[in-house]
Amino acid sequence: MYRVLYTSYTMTNNLSDKDKKAFALIRNKIIHYGESPSLREINVVTGGRSPRSASLVVERLVASGLIKRKGRKLILANTYSANSVSTINVPLVGQVACGTPIFAKENIETYIPISTRMAQKGSKYFLLRASGDSMNEVGINSGDLLLIRQQDTAENGDNVVALINDEATVKSFEKTRDAIILRPKSTNKSHRPIILTDNCMIQGVVVAVLPEDLH
């Protein structure tokens, strides 16, 4: 099952703007590079003027439950704790609708370094930006970056990127004896299941939902 990388990060609503900037820096550097930023880097985004200033910010983030200390490193409190700086460049290949399917543009917008703790070696990955609200009950919101493991098969319950007549959509996968059902998981009940007997190609499985401000 895929993981929402920032499930409890609604706690950031209680942070000051300075601490939010510091947390975004720490989170993004861990996700991209598998390491935490230096106190100097934290001061750059917060306007701090001394190592003590940055240390106090870090202590507040630890107290908030968003990050933890692991030796001299910082790790994210309730998600991947990247222990390695090993990364791979994962292509961001456009936008997929989480509502009415839209054509998936295959042009690569950019490459984003992702820790191999998330994008594990031996598999191919790509990133897509979600659009719409048909999967918001499982933590996929419009604007989120979806880390997709490229594969053409799926298990029931997987959240997949499916290509239907050259249009792509993100839905929960279900296969019966007679059909494939792509189910929305949404608080918006206007979204209905898509039932198919053919013309459905699985492009990959969602393995993580990343914050939209990673890129």
Side-chain angles (χ1 to χ4, degrees), residues 60-203:
R60 289 195 295 270
L61 294 175
V62 170
S64 74
L66 290 169
I67 63 174
K68 294 180 181 178
R69 291 188 180 276
K70 187 172 184 179
R72 294 186 177 182
K73 293 183 177 181
L74 301 175
I75 63 173
L76 300 179
N78 60 340
T79 182
Y80 304 90
S81 56
N83 297 317
S84 169
V85 296
S86 177
T87 64
I88 60 172
N89 286 327
V90 178
L92 174 62
V93 296
Q95 189 175 76
V96 167
C98 292
T100 303
I102 63 171
F103 180 74
K105 298 178 181 178
E106 292 300 326
N107 57 304
I108 296 174
E109 295 180 7
T110 189
Y111 287 88
I112 298 177
I114 301 292
S115 167
T116 53
R117 295 279 296 187
M118 297 168 55
Q120 298 179 2
K121 294 179 179 178
S123 297
K124 291 184 178 180
Y125 294 85
F126 58 97
L127 291 158
L128 293 168
R129 193 176 297 279
S131 175
D133 64 359
S134 77
M135 294 294 284
N136 63 3
E137 282 189 343
V138 293
I140 298 176
N141 296 296
S142 193
D144 289 341
L145 286 177
L146 307 181
L147 179 63
I148 313 293
R149 184 175 60 242
Q150 188 174 332
Q151 59 188 72
D152 58 8
T153 60
E155 301 289 335
N156 284 354
D158 284 344
N159 294 309
V160 302
V161 177
L163 199 63
I164 308 167
N165 296 325
D166 294 328
E167 295 184 330
T169 187
V170 176
K171 294 291 183 291
S172 178
F173 179 85
E174 180 182 336
K175 185 175 183 179
T176 68
R177 193 163 80 176
D178 302 315
I180 290 174
I181 304 171
L182 301 176
R183 294 188 182 277
K185 299 288 184 179
S186 177
T187 55
N188 181 351
K189 300 309 177 184
S190 67
H191 297 292
R192 309 301 299 172
I194 303 170
I195 302 173
L196 303 161
T197 56
D198 53 22
N199 295 327
C200 176
M201 296 177 60
I202 303 301
Q203 302 294 290

Side-chain angles (χ1 to χ4, degrees), residues 13-24:
N13 292 334
N14 299 320
L15 299 178
S16 67
D17 288 344
K18 180 188 298 185
D19 290 355
K20 286 179 182 177
K21 290 177 181 178
F23 175 68

